[in-house]
């Protein structure tokens, strides 16, 4: 199998195709911006295709995983440990963003008057900010009907229904076995379908990148380059140092993990959407040695609660706006900002455009910083969304392995074999399916 892999032409490898599509999209968007901007439907169509299959993938993975568990109490253990992990590292990410923004101070020197800002551009985000409240969160997680989450694709609602149905199916006993077998068999063609649809990834990446560069232009980063650079460097250090230390403590290398999920990372970079990589990431975490039941609970939950990149962005952007508008926040006000961000980042789980919306929610509660200041970063938000999504993806992949290890649901020998480059075992297992 290894020899076959080595002989695979480069142009047939998905991540190579995506890299080429990204470069081509950047070139087209830069030299022919009107054409690039008109290609937005290609990127949108691919994201829509992926969202079409996310709900059934999550539902089948979680239900079959939970129903196949011998001990239902293990479900509570996995969820509890996952939430503890998510709360710890998402809070740490918020704190790191706060500290770095105070040290680098990317907004200093802009001297922008809050009265001169056009708040009309951010009104839509402020109006959605109420969804980031705890009440909004509770209303968001409870679906209208049992089947509606499979229709509207709300990840939190799919997760909610899947866990309940999985537990109910497990509690049914022998009478539920035919249903479990049916769902397990249904999973096989569904993941084949995922593989077929992922072949369209280069087209989606090309359209999305052409639009981004064509509409906003590389030059639009301009005088806000300090914020963009600071955010990218901070996120990179968070992944390599913080998550790197977590990975080392748990017996694996974060660099090897990044190499292993490179296909998904390139896909996220090209589309600016971490959702585009969700089905592939779940399958890869299973292939690396994590039990299906753990992957099914950790990855979808992490997509809503473990947003390390988004959290770094939130506190850093809030302080940037304060610095740019000449507002000097006291330590007490910064701690208040941190506490509000902790709550709003959890409340916005599952809300579309969560990064910018949670920022609006946070600033709405902390009156010291003008919400209208969000207009300063609206133009470059798209360039930072890729970094947020990449950091979130790596964080969730890392969390999946760590929680699986805590639950003794990790095949360590297989993990080391796969991460060290021996892909034959995981590919053969996938082929058998």
């Amino acid at each position: 199998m290894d020899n076959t892999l080595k002989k695979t032409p480069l142009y047939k490898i998905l991540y190579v195709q995506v890299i080429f599509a990204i470069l081509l999209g950047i070139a087209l968007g830069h030299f022919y911006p009107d054409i690039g901007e008109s290609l937005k439907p290609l990127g949108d169509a691919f994201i829509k295709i992926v969202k079409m299959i996310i709900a059934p993938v999550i539902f089948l993975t979680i239900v079959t995983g939970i129903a196949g568990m011998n001990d239902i109490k293990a479900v509570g253990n996995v969820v509890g440990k996952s939430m503890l992990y998510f709360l710890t590292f998402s809070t740490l990410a918020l704190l790191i963003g706060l500290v770095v923004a105070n040290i680098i101070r990317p907004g200093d020197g802009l001297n922008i008057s809050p009265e001169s800002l056009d708040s009309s551009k951010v009104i839509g985000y402020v109006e959605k900010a109420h969804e980031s409240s705890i009440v909004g969160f509770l209303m968001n997680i409870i679906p209208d009907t049992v089947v509606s989450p499979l229709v509207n694709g709300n990840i939190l609602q799919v997760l909610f229904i899947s866990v309940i149905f999985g537990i109910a199916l497990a509690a049914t006993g022998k009478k539920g076995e035919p249903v479990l077998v049916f769902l397990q068999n249904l999973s096989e063609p569904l993941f084949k379908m995922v593989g077929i649809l992922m072949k369209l990834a280069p087209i989606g990446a090309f359209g999305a990148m052409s639009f981004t560069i064509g509409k906003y232009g590389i030059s639009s980063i301009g005088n806000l380059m300090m914020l963009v650079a600071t955010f990218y460097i901070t996120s990179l250090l968070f992944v390599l140092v913080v998550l790197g230390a977590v990975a080392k403590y748990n017996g694996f290398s974060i660099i090897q993990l990044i190499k292993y999920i490179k296909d998904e990372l390139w896909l996220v970079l090209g589309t600016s959407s971490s959702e585009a990589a969700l089905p592939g990431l779940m399958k890869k975490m299973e292939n690396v040695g994590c039990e299906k039941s753990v992957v099914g609970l950790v990855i979808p939950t992490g997509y809503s609660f473990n947003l390390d990149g988004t959290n770094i962005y939130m506190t850093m952007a809030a302080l940037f706006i304060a610095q740019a508008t000449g507002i000097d926040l006291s330590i007490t006000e910064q701690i208040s900002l941190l506490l509000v961000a902790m709550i709003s980042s959890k409340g916005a789980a599952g809300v579309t455009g969560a990064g910018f919306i949670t920022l609006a929610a946070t600033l709405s509660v902390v009156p010291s910083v003008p919400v209208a200041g969000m207009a300063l970063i609206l133009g470059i938000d798209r360039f930072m969304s890729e970094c947020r999504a990449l950091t979130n993806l790596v964080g969730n992949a890392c969390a999946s392995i760590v929680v699986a290890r805590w639950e003794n649901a990790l095949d360590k020998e297989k993990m080391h074999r796969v991460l060290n480059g021996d892909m034959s075992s995981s590919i053969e297992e996938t082929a058998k399916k």
Side-chain angles (χ1 to χ4, degrees):
M1 185 63 68
D2 284 330
N3 293 331
T4 304
L5 285 175
K6 292 176 182 177
K7 292 179 181 178
T8 302
L10 283 176
Y11 67 88
K12 288 188 177 181
I13 300 175
L14 182 63
Y15 79 87
V16 174
Q17 296 174 355
V18 172
I19 292 173
F20 179 76
I22 290 173
L23 295 175
L24 192 61
I26 291 174
L28 180 65
H30 179 66
F31 294 107
Y32 302 97
D34 291 339
I35 297 177
E37 190 173 346
S38 69
L39 295 179
K40 185 176 185 291
L42 290 179
D44 291 345
F46 177 71
I47 298 300
K48 193 172 181 179
I49 286 174
V50 173
K51 287 184 176 181
M52 173 185 74
I53 57 175
I54 284 178
V57 165
I58 293 175
F59 179 79
L60 290 176
T61 302
I62 293 178
V63 170
T64 55
I66 291 177
M69 282 183 171
N70 295 323
D71 183 9
I72 295 301
K73 290 182 180 179
V75 177
N77 290 335
V78 172
V79 173
K81 290 176 181 178
S82 298
M83 295 308 293
L84 177 63
Y85 179 96
F86 297 158
L87 180 63
T88 301
F89 287 95
S90 60
T91 302
L92 182 60
L94 286 167
L95 186 60
I96 287 174
L98 198 69
V99 171
V100 172
N102 273 294
I103 295 174
I104 305 298
R105 301 191 65 84
D108 278 359
L110 291 181
N111 300 319
I112 297 171
S113 171
E115 291 77 17
S116 66
L117 297 170
D118 182 7
S119 60
S120 63
K121 295 180 179 179
V122 297
I123 287 177
Y125 295 99
V126 176
E127 289 175 348
K128 291 182 180 179
H130 72 278
E131 297 178 39
S132 299
S133 64
I134 295 300
V135 174
F137 166 72
L138 292 174
M139 294 303 293
N140 189 45
I141 197 174
I142 302 173
D144 294 328
T145 67
V146 173
V147 296
S148 61
L150 298 176
V151 177
N152 60 34
N154 185 305
I155 293 180
L156 270 178
Q157 293 180 1
V158 174
L159 185 65
F160 181 76
I161 289 297
S162 301
V163 171
I164 293 176
F165 187 77
I167 293 173
L169 185 58
T172 305
K174 289 186 178 181
K175 291 185 178 180
E177 289 180 1
V179 178
L180 176 58
V181 172
F182 168 75
L183 294 177
Q184 288 172 336
N185 291 334
L186 183 60
S187 298
E188 296 180 16
L190 181 64
F191 275 101
K192 290 288 185 183
M193 180 180 173
V194 170
I196 293 171
L197 295 177
M198 283 301 108
K199 295 183 184 299
L200 299 173
I203 298 175
F206 169 70
M209 190 57 70
S210 296
F211 164 74
T212 298
I213 302 300
K215 181 174 178 60
Y216 300 104
I218 298 176
S219 60
S220 67
I221 301 177
N223 59 351
L224 301 179
M225 178 63 80
M226 178 61 78
L227 175 61
V228 177
T230 302
F231 176 58
Y232 269 77
I233 293 171
T234 303
S235 298
L236 180 62
L237 290 176
F238 179 84
V239 169
L240 297 180
V241 178
V242 178
L243 295 184
V246 172
K248 186 175 182 180
Y249 181 78
N250 286 277
F252 65 98
S253 165
I254 195 68
I255 299 297
Q256 289 180 332
L257 178 62
I258 291 172
K259 289 180 180 177
Y260 176 61
I261 60 172
K262 61 181 178 296
D263 292 39
E264 287 69 32
L265 291 172
W266 281 112
L267 183 58
V268 167
L269 180 65
T271 61
S272 297
S273 170
S274 55
E275 287 186 342
L278 191 149
L281 182 64
M282 292 179 71
K283 179 55 66 177
K284 279 200 170 179
M285 288 300 99
E286 287 181 45
N287 290 340
V288 84
C290 301
E291 285 188 7
K292 184 177 183 179
S293 56
V294 174
V295 173
L297 287 169
V298 174
I299 297 295
T301 307
Y303 261 64
S304 295
F305 293 96
N306 191 36
L307 306 174
D308 298 330
T310 301
N311 288 340
I312 293 172
Y313 163 84
M314 281 177 61
T315 46
M316 187 174 288
L319 258 67
F320 169 83
I321 293 170
Q323 293 162 4
T325 53
I327 298 170
D328 188 20
L329 295 178
S330 65
I331 297 296
T332 303
E333 288 175 320
Q334 291 191 36
I335 292 175
S336 299
L337 183 72
L338 179 67
L339 294 175
V340 171
M342 284 174 59
I343 297 172
S344 61
S345 64
K346 302 300 176 291
V351 179
T352 304
F356 217 61
I357 293 170
T358 49
L359 179 59
T362 303
L363 296 183
S364 297
V365 183
V366 183
S368 306
V369 184
V371 177
M374 291 176 59
L376 291 173
I377 58 176
L378 186 59
I380 60 167
D381 182 70
R382 179 82 183 192
F383 292 98
M384 293 191 285
S385 65
E386 284 94 346
C387 187
R388 291 199 299 263
L390 289 170
T391 307
N392 293 343
L393 188 78
V394 176
N396 286 318
C398 182
S400 183
I401 295 178
V402 172
V403 175
R405 177 179 174 272
W406 288 350
E407 280 295 295
N408 295 317
L410 175 67
D411 186 336
K412 296 179 182 178
E413 183 181 339
K414 182 179 180 181
M415 177 189 72
H416 290 302
R417 192 168 64 245
V418 173
L419 292 184
N420 285 328
D422 181 8
M423 303 293 294
S424 57
S425 59
S426 63
I427 290 175
E428 285 171 0
E429 290 176 15
T430 304
K432 289 178 182 178
K433 294 180 181 180

